[in-house]
Amino acid sequence: MPLFRRQPRLAASIATQLVGVSPIAAAPLVGGGWVVLSAAEWIHVPDSESGAALTRHGWHEVDNAQWVTDQNSLVVRWINGETLALRLDGENERVPQVVRERVEASIVHVVQRDLPGGNKVRAVVRREGQGDVSSQVSVVGTAAVTAYVAELAVALEAEARAAVGLAE
């Protein structure tokens, strides 16, 4: 195992937008743009012709991510429920590996309960990029947010926070 990893080579136009960022993985995207991954954040640099803004997300904002091998794409679900699918332009096994490592590294504690129909309520205590700790609750699946689900979410969040010594 190497003692260090070489930083990925970024196009000059991308690197100038990311002054101060130390990428640990990066890949060009089909259709233009890049995904750049650092220890602290996920950065989506859109194609300059698209007019879209560069977006940054801390790893604690990733609810889950899935690598779709046959499509060479990464599908990310953010904690706000939005999803993003990015197709990598070329082979890059480092990107899905880093996404998995960084998301797992942000998780401090998880409590979840099953709901009918294969759905779940999950409370997660996560470490943010600067070391702060926060909690999140999500419904995994297609369950409607009923009074029962809302009460369960509140109870699970309190349980997760108590387990790591956070105030309610």
Side-chain angles (χ1 to χ4, degrees):
M1 178 198 274
L3 295 176
F4 65 93
R5 290 199 185 269
R6 187 170 51 106
Q7 288 190 343
R9 181 177 297 274
L10 298 174
S13 62
I14 303 302
T16 59
Q17 297 179 61
L18 302 174
V19 174
V21 172
S22 296
I24 52 178
L29 302 172
V30 170
W34 284 70
V35 61
V36 179
L37 311 174
S38 76
E41 62 187 339
W42 160 295
I43 306 166
H44 177 216
V45 183
D47 181 15
S48 60
E49 295 175 13
S50 73
L54 178 141
T55 56
R56 300 171 102 116
H57 292 278
W59 291 109
H60 67 284
E61 296 179 71
V62 178
D63 187 44
N64 74 30
Q66 180 180 23
W67 177 248
V68 183
T69 304
D70 62 335
Q71 297 177 13
N72 202 37
S73 65
L74 189 60
V75 180
V76 179
R77 179 174 180 234
W78 305 105
I79 60 168
N80 66 5
E82 294 177 10
T83 59
L84 174 66
L86 299 173
R87 289 192 63 207
L88 276 54
D89 188 4
E91 297 293 319
N92 189 321
E93 64 187 43
R94 185 85 176 117
V95 167
Q97 176 187 2
V98 168
V99 169
R100 180 177 181 186
E101 289 170 357
R102 299 314 312 157
V103 170
E104 287 180 357
S106 75
I107 297 172
V108 175
H109 188 71
V110 179
V111 179
Q112 66 182 25
R113 298 289 185 277
D114 293 335
L115 295 171
N119 300 303
K120 298 177 188 218
V121 175
R122 180 174 57 211
V124 184
V125 176
R126 308 280 296 267
R127 185 172 327 283
E128 298 176 14
Q130 303 302 320
D132 295 335
V133 178
S134 63
S135 59
Q136 307 161 348
V137 179
S138 58
V139 176
V140 180
T142 57
V145 181
T146 63
Y148 169 74
V149 171
E151 288 174 20
L152 181 58
V154 168
L156 286 179
E157 184 173 25
E159 182 181 334
R161 291 178 67 83
V164 298
L166 291 175
E168 286 189 39

